[in-house]
Amino acid sequence: MDRAPLFLLYLNVLIVATCGLIYELLAGTLASYLLGDSVTQFSLVIGLYLSAMGVGAWLSKYITRQLAACFIEVELAVAMVGGFSAPLLFVAFGAIDWFRPLLFGMVFVIGTLVGLELPLLMRILKEHVDFDDLVSRVLTFDYIGALLASLMFPILLVPSLGLVRTSLVFGILNAAVGIWGSFLLRPLMTARRAGGLRGRGVLIIGLLTAGIVKADTLTRYSEEQQLSASIVYAETSPYQRILITKNRTGFQLFLNGHLQFNSTDEYRYHEALTHPPMSAVNTPKRILVLGGGDGLAVREVLKHPSVEQVSLVDLDPSMTTLADRFPPLADLSQQALSDPRVKVINSDAFVWAGQQTGEPFDVILIDFPDPSSFSVGKLYTSYFYRRIHRLLADDGRIGIQCTSPLVAPQSYWCILNTMEDAGFHVQPYHASVPTFGIWGFALASKFPLESEPILAEDLRQPLRFLNSRTMSTLFSMPNDLTRHDSEVNRLNNQALVQYYEQEWRLLE
Amino acid sequence: MNHAGIPEGRFSRRDWLLTSLAAATASRFTGCQQVVAGLTGDLLKPGMTLGHQLRDHSLEAGEAIDATNANLDSDGSVRNVEVAIVGAGIAGLSAAWQLKRSGLSSFRIFELEQVAGGTSRSGTCDVTEFPWGAHYVPLPDVSNTDLVTLFREMLAVQVTEGDRTLIAVEGVSCREPHERLFVNGEWLDDLYPRSIATESDLKEWSRFREIVSRWIDWRDAHGNRAFVIPVAHCSQDPDVLKLDQITAAAWLSEQGFSSQPLLWLVDYCCRDDYGLTIEQTSAWAMMFYFASRLKNSGDSEPALLTWSAGNGAIVQHLSSQFSEKIETSRPVIRIIPGDGRSDQQSVIHVWNPDSDSKETWTARHVIFAAPQFLTPHVLADQPTERIESVRRFQYGAWVVANLHLSKRPASAGAPLSWDNVIYRSDYLGYIVATHQVGSDFGPTVLTWYYPLCDPLPSEDRKRLLAATWEQWAEVILQDLRPVHPDLGECLSKLDVLFWGHAMIQPRPGFIWGSDRPLAAEPVGNVHFAGTDLSGLALMEEAFYHGVRAANEVMAARENSASAGAAK
Ligand SMILES: Cc1cc2nc3c(=O)[nH]c(=O)nc-3n(C[C@H](O)[C@H](O)[C@H](O)COP(=O)(O)OP(=O)(O)OC[C@H]3O[C@@H](n4cnc5c(N)ncnc54)[C@H](O)[C@@H]3O)c2cc1C
């Protein structure tokens, strides 16, 4: 071989090295995205990858014939496995239980293949180049490649291409280098072998390109899962994606990627939602809970001895039966949904509320997810509140969660203004929930309220957060939580969804 | 006409449909099942049988008008009513509504079909009601007082307490999200395909909207608007009317528009509202679509009034006020008009398919609220020039399908909306019947629309008419599968309805030509209603003509009463 192709082969080394490190960085980043705890994930991935390269290097000695062709084979294999690594892992994460074995298995395979590459190449070249020269050049290009990869990855690739596309693009590059190598090393293999390799190379490039075309769908599907804690439960119901993560202090429930509660401090939230309206009614007997399929608000409701009947309306049967499949939730909710007084109704609260004609409720608790989509936004409209108005006893009370009045004041006040538009008298109040920050609620009634409620004394269990003194402080709104003007949220404008999106986007 | 301005792929539309139909036929013969296995449904063709019978067998068959027998029923009896209304579409029902409001209750409505509603009828199933045709009306302007009265009765609109403006009632006003467009593999909100628009596309789009704004704010010497609902109140200034001389496509190219997204959108709107492409629609009608709904260009877009049943809700509201007076499955096969001056009554022959016999009615006044193209076959003694004019009324055919789903199909991007449109599809997309009741999960019905705009050689037309349910089902699924790959799993039933003469076509020259006013003139004591008299198929126009015809009848009665008193 003459010098020109030799130089080109070094370039080949450079690209191969870059690709190798990119796959390693991808795996590390992905693992810390999906599994959380980035220090652990990164050091595990790097350690495993390096040792796998060692295994590859060691295995290389068993390859004795057709070195050039084998080298190209290896490159194509790296292109295929490495190129599809990120998309495959993303998709697998939501779909399988053995994600970790898959992740580390892939890291190991890629590491081994990459480890094979340089020893093979050096053995091919040693026939043609002075050995000292060879070692120094190959290693130099190898390290330059590593430098290139580590610079490009955070600065250029992740921000502009994202993980999935980066992975696919480098797979293509890797396969292209393989094809190119089949020309450079052509003298060292048979024509048939070279043709076969090129054919497969083109096929792999085709597959990876198809992957790029579909990449958007893939990332959208997996973005919701990029949570920073380890996942202990995952389920996709027809209505939403239910995920539970766990850390040292407790567990957290996510619906469609939105945090619903953290077991360590949810009591603050649910006590604040439940006890002000429950205490404001003399003997609350018939209670309606809308949303809140986790049963935590119902748990608080059942602490009031006068309660005779609780109707819980939640869209998703997978939510209202979650405690059966995830025992820690059963403990946390004190099996509230299995209480004989509780009737669980799985239906869309919007439609359900329109169909009710029976006896009115003494207390209605509205505990929907935040209004981040139109299908939830409709549950915060004046139209819906008018339906609820009909379901409430004349001396009844409503307690409602209304997102954060500090982070999203316009959204918070939009909810209160909308309730007023529907004929309610509304008192704002708030509580501090460490996981969420300052959280907003409202107490609503059909007639004007003079004072804030006094905590009921006959509770079956002591509360952890509220006592008779703290209750009234919830109702004194500090200066940074004062009223904002807003449009009324209606079915035909869904103003709230827009406020909400604008205000929470500022935080991202 | 500038062909460069035509969206690519236009000319293949007809071929595509015919090919699809052919493919569906072939697949049936080769036994390779393409339509979802186990899928069932009906193919309905309202009016076809009776309509054709009417055309072939009534007057033209030369049945002699026997003066002595004309007044006799098959069983020899004659029934009498003050006003006979022919057709229980929006026009006929509105006429009845207006008569009733004016204190006249001796009327009958004869309807050919088994149900009232005409092209605004609706259907119902366990899950929801759904439209079979018309599905919305934009919030009317306050000046349209009769229509506002009707919508206030229906609790669809209300007047605000403070500034007394007219607003749509929440729950009837179309719920957000209104519409979305499938373009380049995902759904985006809004109908304008912003994601693929280049800088110059956007420039054309805003220039187009500026022109529309100018027309909205335009007033003639008398202060009349260029485009306003009803058409009868539009300015007749030559500057506006000259738009009616050319096609929308010609106008667009005259104005230098060539942006594909813009041309697509305008073409879509014309097909959606008129069942015509931009090459067929009058430029006046096209501008009417964009400019008639706003009084001032600064106003925000008017709310859309819509119901699960579509405009079937209006039909139900109207019919419920006089249901005992609506005679369904009673096609009128002949009207012999009274002269309108003396007290001579009109004679109306009504077919009774149950007893396979003819009933005879007499009426002091008739309101003919069925489409004009039927009058040459039904109405005796009309001037020949009227018949010639009416023969120039052209109607387009539509196919409407209701897809019953057990769950919502998955989709990428913007969420399922009320109106769901596929960029560059030959068809119009679908609306979601359960949208208005606020249910976002579970079973629903999608109503899919398709106007047959292409001029079809009669051979092809015959083939279309002869197309089977399987063929239509395949055409519909071919349209929707690419945007909802899981549609097959969700679909439980698919009903297809073929409307033969569904919509009057506002082709150049028709709206402001002489045929329309001529056809609206009473013949003796027969008065005419029907949206086709406006040249545009719209609820507001059908309503306008119904009320107008009722008012004509009331005025004629007053005249004859005062004439009687003078004697
Ligand atoms: C697919 C489709 C979608 C549409 N969507 C909309 C929309 O969204 N909004 C809108 O405003 N408009 C829409 N339209 C236009 C719609 O046609 C008008 O809104 C309106 O319903 C027309 O009413 P009409 O009474 O004038 O005519 P028709 O609806 O045609 O009513 C005529 C009636 O007369 C009956 N009839 C005919 N012959 C006889 C006879 N010999 N004896 C007795 N009865 C007879 C017919 O059966 C029918 O019931 C749509 C039309 C179609 C076809």
Side-chain angles (χ1 to χ4, degrees):
Chain A
M1 288 201 294
D2 59 27
R3 297 226 52 95
L6 262 187
F7 170 72
L8 290 176
L9 271 171
Y10 292 131
L11 187 61
N12 208 314
V13 172
L14 179 84
I15 299 176
V16 165
T18 315
C19 291
L21 196 69
I22 294 278
Y23 301 137
E24 180 185 345
L25 290 170
L26 277 170
T29 315
L30 243 156
S32 49
Y33 263 178
L34 297 179
L35 303 176
D37 195 0
S38 52
V39 176
T40 314
Q41 305 306 347
F42 253 102
S43 59
L44 271 177
V45 166
I46 292 176
L48 190 66
Y49 188 82
L50 287 178
S51 60
M53 279 178 69
V55 173
W58 176 73
L59 285 176
S60 72
K61 73 171 178 185
Y62 295 104
I63 297 175
T64 49
R65 283 179 306 129
Q66 303 200 344
L67 289 186
C70 283
F71 172 70
I72 310 279
E73 295 282 7
V74 169
E75 283 209 63
L76 293 181
V78 177
M80 187 76 183
V81 184
F84 276 114
S85 62
L88 186 75
L89 288 171
F90 260 130
V91 172
F93 182 67
I96 60 173
D97 296 331
W98 37 280
F99 177 73
R100 273 161 221 259
L102 177 75
L103 169 77
F104 293 119
M106 283 192 82
V107 169
F108 191 83
V109 171
I110 298 173
T112 310
L113 289 169
V114 171
L116 273 167
E117 281 177 330
L118 285 195
L120 282 181
L121 190 66
M122 281 161 80
R123 278 166 58 201
I124 296 168
L125 294 182
K126 78 166 192 266
E127 317 278 313
H128 310 274
V129 198
D130 167 50
F131 187 70
D132 296 347
D133 206 22
L134 175 70
V135 173
S136 87
R137 286 198 193 196
V138 166
L139 290 184
T140 308
F141 278 100
D142 186 25
Y143 292 127
I144 294 178
L147 177 67
L148 263 179
S150 58
L151 289 179
M152 279 189 333
F153 188 73
I155 299 173
L156 193 72
L157 300 174
V158 176
S160 62
L161 290 178
L163 295 181
V164 169
R165 280 213 176 81
T166 301
S167 170
L168 293 163
V169 164
F170 276 82
I172 292 180
L173 196 65
N174 220 325
V177 167
I179 296 178
W180 181 34
S182 76
F183 286 99
L184 293 177
L185 301 174
R186 172 68 193 82
L188 305 180
M189 55 188 125
T190 66
R192 256 187 74 198
R193 190 80 195 259
L197 286 170
R198 285 169 205 161
R200 259 182 294 148
V202 170
L203 182 70
I204 290 174
I205 291 182
L207 288 174
L208 290 162
T209 312
I212 291 184
V213 175
K214 286 278 170 206
D216 266 343
T217 338
L218 277 178
T219 28
R220 200 174 307 111
Y221 175 65
S222 50
E223 252 157 19
E224 64 194 38
Q225 301 152 4
Q226 300 178 3
L227 311 166
S228 54
S230 60
I231 286 168
V232 290
Y233 183 89
E235 180 184 352
T236 305
S237 81
Y239 306 101
Q240 56 202 344
R241 174 122 183 111
I242 303 170
L243 253 174
I244 301 175
T245 59
K246 198 166 183 168
N247 59 19
R248 275 175 302 282
T249 52
F251 68 91
Q252 299 82 32
L253 173 78
F254 291 81
L255 297 180
N256 290 338
H258 296 281
L259 180 59
Q260 303 300 305
F261 69 77
N262 185 340
S263 65
T264 48
D265 58 13
E266 59 72 26
Y267 66 92
R268 286 184 146 247
Y269 173 97
H270 289 106
E271 288 184 13
L273 171 70
T274 311
H275 298 296
M278 289 292 287
S279 300
V281 175
N282 274 341
T283 45
K285 291 188 185 121
R286 282 171 53 83
I287 318 296
L288 172 63
V289 181
L290 299 173
D294 49 32
L296 301 174
V298 175
R299 174 194 68 198
E300 296 303 317
V301 165
L302 293 176
K303 289 179 182 168
H304 292 256
S306 60
V307 170
E308 290 171 0
Q309 193 193 334
V310 184
S311 302
L312 174 99
V313 182
D314 191 294
L315 183 62
D316 191 353
S318 299
M319 258 316 290
T320 50
T321 56
L322 187 57
D324 303 341
R325 274 157 293 133
F326 186 69
L329 179 61
D331 294 343
L332 189 69
S333 66
Q334 301 175 3
Q335 320 244 16
L337 298 188
S338 317
D339 189 286
R341 285 166 292 175
V342 178
K343 190 166 99 195
V344 174
I345 301 153
N346 291 121
S347 90
D348 187 331
F350 187 91
V351 179
W352 181 87
Q355 295 161 344
Q356 301 315 302
T357 47
E359 228 184 293
F361 293 93
D362 302 319
V363 171
I364 300 178
L365 299 180
I366 305 182
D367 189 16
F368 293 127
D370 277 5
S372 57
S373 72
F374 290 126
S375 60
V376 185
K378 74 184 179 199
L379 299 167
Y380 289 84
T381 54
S382 53
Y383 191 80
F384 180 68
Y385 292 144
R386 278 197 294 275
R387 286 188 166 176
I388 297 302
H389 197 275
R390 282 191 279 117
L391 303 184
L392 187 67
D394 282 348
D395 56 354
R397 294 287 188 281
I398 289 182
I400 176 172
Q401 86 86 4
C402 328
T403 193
S404 166
L406 195 62
V407 176
Q410 193 92 31
S411 307
Y412 176 80
W413 289 102
C414 174
I415 299 173
L416 275 72
N417 293 339
T418 304
M419 293 196 84
E420 284 176 354
D421 184 79
F424 285 110
H425 295 266
V426 187
Q427 279 182 307
Y429 68 98
H430 66 95
S432 156
V433 185
T435 300
F436 292 128
I438 301 292
W439 208 251
F441 303 88
L443 181 64
S445 61
K446 287 187 169 177
F447 297 99
L449 299 170
E450 282 95 54
S451 56
E452 53 269 7
I454 294 165
L455 187 64
E457 283 168 359
D458 54 347
L459 299 184
R460 288 210 162 115
Q461 274 177 45
L463 302 184
R464 292 171 68 192
F465 170 53
L466 286 180
N467 57 40
S468 52
R469 272 159 294 122
T470 46
M471 184 106 127
S472 64
T473 62
L474 303 186
F475 286 83
S476 66
M477 296 297 268
N479 288 348
D480 57 357
L481 301 183
T482 48
R483 189 175 277 269
H484 280 54
D485 283 338
S486 76
E487 273 191 70
V488 170
N489 186 42
R490 297 186 195 282
L491 281 176
N492 48 311
N493 66 14
Q494 293 258 16
L496 179 60
V497 172
Q498 283 149 38
Y499 291 143
Y500 183 83
E501 197 188 278
Q502 282 158 14
E503 291 183 318
W504 283 93
R505 199 177 349 164
L506 293 180
L507 271 198
E508 278 164 14
Chain B
M1 203 173 77
N2 173 0
H3 281 238
I6 292 164
E8 297 152 27
R10 154 59 52 74
F11 292 111
S12 62
R13 178 177 295 141
R14 187 190 75 211
D15 298 342
W16 162 238
L17 174 71
L18 292 172
T19 322
S20 308
L21 286 175
T25 324
S27 73
R28 246 167 16 112
F29 290 127
T30 54
C32 89
Q33 191 73 36
Q34 292 200 15
V35 181
V36 180
L39 182 63
T40 59
D42 292 322
L43 174 60
L44 313 163
K45 296 185 178 181
M48 288 277 180
T49 351
L50 280 170
H52 284 156
Q53 274 176 3
L54 194 70
R55 269 218 314 248
D56 304 341
H57 300 297
S58 60
L59 281 184
E60 274 176 350
E63 191 190 330
I65 299 175
D66 180 340
T68 47
N69 275 339
N71 292 1
L72 286 187
D73 225 7
S74 304
D75 63 8
S77 65
V78 177
R79 305 153 210 223
N80 178 261
V81 70
E82 280 294 302
V83 184
I85 300 175
V86 183
I90 291 287
L93 296 171
S94 306
W97 176 79
Q98 180 69 356
L99 289 178
K100 189 161 178 261
R101 286 208 311 154
S102 315
L104 193 155
S105 53
S106 171
F107 60 82
R108 282 292 158 125
I109 310 177
F110 300 102
E111 167 56 49
L112 171 148
E113 295 289 323
Q114 287 164 3
V115 290
T119 49
S120 292
R121 86 168 62 149
S122 54
T124 183
C125 63
D126 292 346
V127 175
T128 177
E129 295 188 283
F130 49 84
W132 271 121
H135 48 276
Y136 77 98
V137 186
L139 178 70
D141 188 72
V142 267
S143 60
N144 200 342
T145 45
D146 289 323
L147 191 56
V148 169
T149 307
L150 173 69
F151 286 146
R152 285 184 78 165
E153 267 180 23
M154 288 181 71
L155 305 179
V157 302
Q158 67 191 50
V159 176
T160 54
E161 272 165 26
D163 50 3
R164 306 206 57 77
T165 50
L166 188 71
I167 58 163
V169 165
E170 197 178 0
V172 175
S173 179
C174 182
R175 169 165 88 100
E176 284 290 342
H178 273 196
E179 55 203 8
R180 61 174 186 168
L181 180 68
F182 189 84
V183 50
N184 277 357
E186 66 175 336
W187 291 98
L188 304 169
D189 51 16
D190 198 14
L191 279 194
Y192 183 80
R194 216 162 275 281
S195 65
I196 54 159
T198 62
E199 197 106 327
S200 79
D201 286 328
L202 292 173
K203 267 197 202 122
E204 285 199 21
W205 175 224
S206 72
R207 185 159 67 85
F208 177 78
R209 284 178 309 161
E210 275 161 28
I211 298 181
V212 170
S213 294
R214 257 181 272 139
W215 277 119
I216 292 173
D217 296 328
W218 187 95
R219 298 290 184 272
D220 68 12
H222 313 285
N224 293 325
R225 288 163 57 185
F227 302 99
V228 63
I229 296 172
V231 170
H233 295 172
C234 291
S235 167
Q236 299 198 27
D237 190 287
D239 276 352
V240 200
L241 297 200
K242 73 176 186 227
L243 284 177
D244 194 40
Q245 295 311 312
I246 56 173
T247 64
W251 180 87
L252 285 161
S253 88
E254 251 177 36
Q255 299 289 322
F257 289 115
S258 61
S259 152
Q260 289 294 319
L262 172 71
L263 297 183
W264 172 80
L265 184 75
V266 179
D267 185 66
Y268 177 82
C269 294
C270 289
R271 283 187 290 135
D272 194 35
D273 253 45
Y274 307 136
L276 292 177
T277 65
I278 46 177
E279 292 83 14
Q280 300 163 328
T281 311
S282 138
W284 186 93
M286 179 271 288
M287 197 49 82
F288 179 92
Y289 172 88
F290 288 99
S292 62
R293 285 155 195 194
L294 290 184
K295 211 177 208 165
N296 301 298
S297 59
D299 298 348
S300 49
E301 282 290 311
L304 303 181
L305 309 181
T306 187
W307 304 261
S308 283
N311 292 4
I314 307 176
V315 171
Q316 288 164 19
H317 172 83
L318 290 170
S319 320
S320 69
Q321 304 189 357
F322 33 73
S323 53
E324 73 290 351
K325 299 198 158 94
I326 306 176
E327 311 258 352
T328 52
S329 298
R330 290 294 179 277
V332 169
I333 52 175
R334 182 193 297 160
I335 303 167
I336 306 150
D339 68 9
R341 280 179 299 277
S342 67
D343 261 357
Q344 191 192 9
Q345 305 226 343
S346 289
V347 179
I348 300 138
H349 291 178
V350 180
W351 190 252
N352 180 339
D354 306 333
S355 60
D356 203 10
S357 64
K358 183 177 85 182
E359 295 173 2
T360 304
W361 290 72
T362 55
R364 196 172 300 274
H365 308 274
V366 176
I367 295 178
F368 185 88
Q372 285 301 321
F373 74 89
L374 291 170
T375 56
H377 313 288
V378 176
L379 184 64
D381 302 340
Q382 34 173 342
T384 37
E385 22 157 18
R386 184 179 196 282
I387 295 184
E388 277 161 20
S389 282
V390 162
R391 291 231 152 99
R392 284 188 289 267
F393 278 49
Q394 284 178 277
Y395 300 79
W398 279 65
V399 174
V400 178
N402 274 303
L403 291 85
H404 296 248
L405 307 188
S406 56
K407 60 175 190 191
R408 316 287 159 107
S411 51
L416 192 67
S417 302
W418 175 63
D419 192 9
N420 305 269
V421 178
I422 303 167
Y423 185 55
R424 289 224 159 129
S425 161
D426 295 340
Y427 314 98
L428 293 176
Y430 60 86
I431 59 158
V432 181
T434 49
H435 184 81
Q436 233 17 46
V437 297
S439 103
D440 290 314
F441 303 95
T444 187
V445 174
L446 311 182
T447 311
W448 179 94
Y449 289 92
Y450 172 45
L452 286 91
C453 332
D454 294 287
L456 290 182
S458 61
E459 267 307 281
D460 288 346
R461 196 178 164 88
K462 271 192 206 134
R463 273 172 63 197
L464 279 183
L465 282 175
T468 60
W469 175 84
E470 282 85 357
Q471 290 173 314
W472 281 116
E474 184 53 32
V475 166
I476 293 159
L477 292 178
Q478 273 181 21
D479 182 41
L480 295 180
R481 265 194 211 112
V483 300
H484 295 303
D486 60 342
L487 188 67
E489 297 160 34
C490 312
L491 197 57
S492 56
K493 184 157 154 269
L494 191 162
D495 291 330
V496 184
L497 188 146
F498 189 95
W499 292 105
H501 291 73
M503 261 196 197
I504 186 73
Q505 297 183 324
R507 292 172 183 267
F510 179 65
I511 294 183
W512 295 105
S514 56
D515 296 328
R516 207 170 55 86
L518 197 89
E521 285 291 311
V523 172
N525 58 11
V526 177
H527 301 263
F528 297 97
T531 194
D532 50 349
L533 294 173
S534 284
L536 302 176
L538 292 174
M539 183 272 158
E540 301 96 312
E541 299 296 334
F543 174 82
Y544 168 81
H545 287 289
V547 170
R548 191 213 76 234
N551 289 342
E552 276 175 20
V553 166
M554 295 310 291
R557 292 169 65 80
E558 242 165 59
N559 282 346
S560 70
S562 52
K567 266 184 223 161

